[in-house]
Every structure is written in C-alpha cells, then in structure tokens.
Amino acid sequence: GINAESWGTSAVCDMQVGDRTALYDQSRSSGVDVSAADIQEAWAEIQHNSISWFTICYDPVVKTKLKFQAKGMGNFDELKASLSQDDIFYGVVRVVADERSKLVFFCVIGDNVSGMKKGRVSMHKQGISNAFQGTIADVTANSSLDFEFADISSALKKHGVQSIAM
C-alpha cells in the first residue's frame, strides 16, 4: 500500500493497487445488476449490427436487478411499441448519424410508475448508462407516449451530429 508518512503526514492509506479499480467499478455500477446473460447478449448483438435496439427493465422481485425485456431489427415505431406505461425501461438504439452507425442510451419512465420507482431512475440511470460504454448520448423521456425519435435527434445534435436516421 501507499504509506502517507513518506509524504510528511502520519496518516496511513492502505489502498492496494487493485483497490482503485474496484472502487471505480463500484461507483460506476450504482449497485445495479445488469449482468444477466440475455442483457449482455443483446449488448453484444447491437454492437455487431445484429439488432437495431434492445430494452431492459427492473426485475419485479429484486429492485437493483435489471432483466432483458425486448429487442428488434425494426424501426423506432417497433421500439416504441415494445414499451408500456407501467414500467421503467432502459435501452440502447442504433442510429445512423452523419452516415456512421452510433449507439444511443435511453430511459423511458411510464406514466403509471409510482413515485418511489421513479426515484430509482435518479439513483441508477448513470450506472446503467456506464455499463453500456460506447453510447454517444443519453435520452430520458417521462412517458412512453412522449418518447419520440426527435428526442434522439435533438440529443445527437447537441453532440454536433448533422443528419440522423434509423
């Protein structure tokens, strides 16, 4: 470990070399489990252009565990049709931005979700987004009815993207 006495103080820091990575991983994950095999499979598929989008939602039994919900090859309307007003959905969608394929992370909160469940979003969203490294923007919609492709376009334009299609 690092001994702080060599720095002129009497405090001792017992952090080992590997501890820093473990500490980073803990804060990055926000305590949310996205390790389910079907979630990891969907993430791999979207990275390799095998699917256009996927969604995950909270496990009804374990509040900090996410489960795979749906995936598809279709357009934004197909994605939107897979969402309901009764849950919180996270996911990744593939878009063509300035003639290049890009991945966008999104969160959609259903209108019928309780206030307590909505509070989870503020605690978990960043950690879930971090689990899908390589997305270039985050979009949050407070209703599946209000979730539009224009929201994705707007988020990408903030990153300097000019033309967007799905």
Side-chain angles (χ1 to χ4, degrees):
I2 300 170
N3 185 333
E5 289 178 2
S6 64
W7 290 53
T9 66
S10 60
V12 175
C13 176
D14 288 328
M15 183 179 284
Q16 300 298 312
V17 174
D19 293 345
R20 183 173 179 193
T21 302
L23 182 64
Y24 173 74
D25 288 344
Q26 283 180 335
S27 64
R28 191 182 80 166
S29 72
S30 300
V32 179
D33 182 357
V34 294
S35 65
D38 45 4
I39 294 173
Q40 297 307 312
E41 180 182 318
W43 175 235
E45 286 178 317
I46 201 164
Q47 289 178 301
H48 294 100
N49 294 323
S50 300
I51 59 174
S52 300
W53 58 268
F54 72 88
T55 57
I56 58 179
C57 58
Y58 287 101
D59 183 291
V61 178
V62 183
K63 295 177 184 178
T64 58
K65 185 174 184 174
L66 292 168
K67 64 177 187 153
F68 174 79
Q69 193 260 336
K71 65 183 176 181
M73 281 295 300
N75 61 18
F76 186 79
D77 291 335
E78 179 187 62
L79 162 60
K80 192 172 173 178
S82 75
L83 306 174
S84 77
Q85 291 296 318
D86 300 321
D87 214 336
I88 298 167
F89 298 93
Y90 300 95
V92 177
V93 61
R94 175 176 299 290
V95 297
V96 177
D98 291 338
E99 300 181 18
R100 297 190 65 172
S101 183
K102 302 288 183 183
L103 300 174
V104 176
F105 174 80
F106 63 87
C107 172
V108 178
I109 305 164
D111 283 340
N112 300 334
V113 173
S114 71
M116 291 293 285
K117 284 185 177 181
K118 287 179 182 179
R120 289 186 205 167
V121 173
S122 63
M123 295 185 312
H124 296 160
K125 187 177 107 174
Q126 188 61 52
I128 297 166
S129 174
N130 289 344
F132 302 114
Q133 292 183 1
T135 58
I136 67 164
D138 291 2
V139 175
T140 300
N142 291 320
S143 167
S144 61
L145 300 175
D146 295 337
F147 185 43
E148 299 294 338
F149 191 73
D151 299 326
I152 294 170
S153 296
S154 177
L156 290 172
K157 287 183 180 178
K158 290 178 185 174
H159 291 278
V161 173
Q162 300 301 312
S163 68
I164 300 135
M166 183 167 172

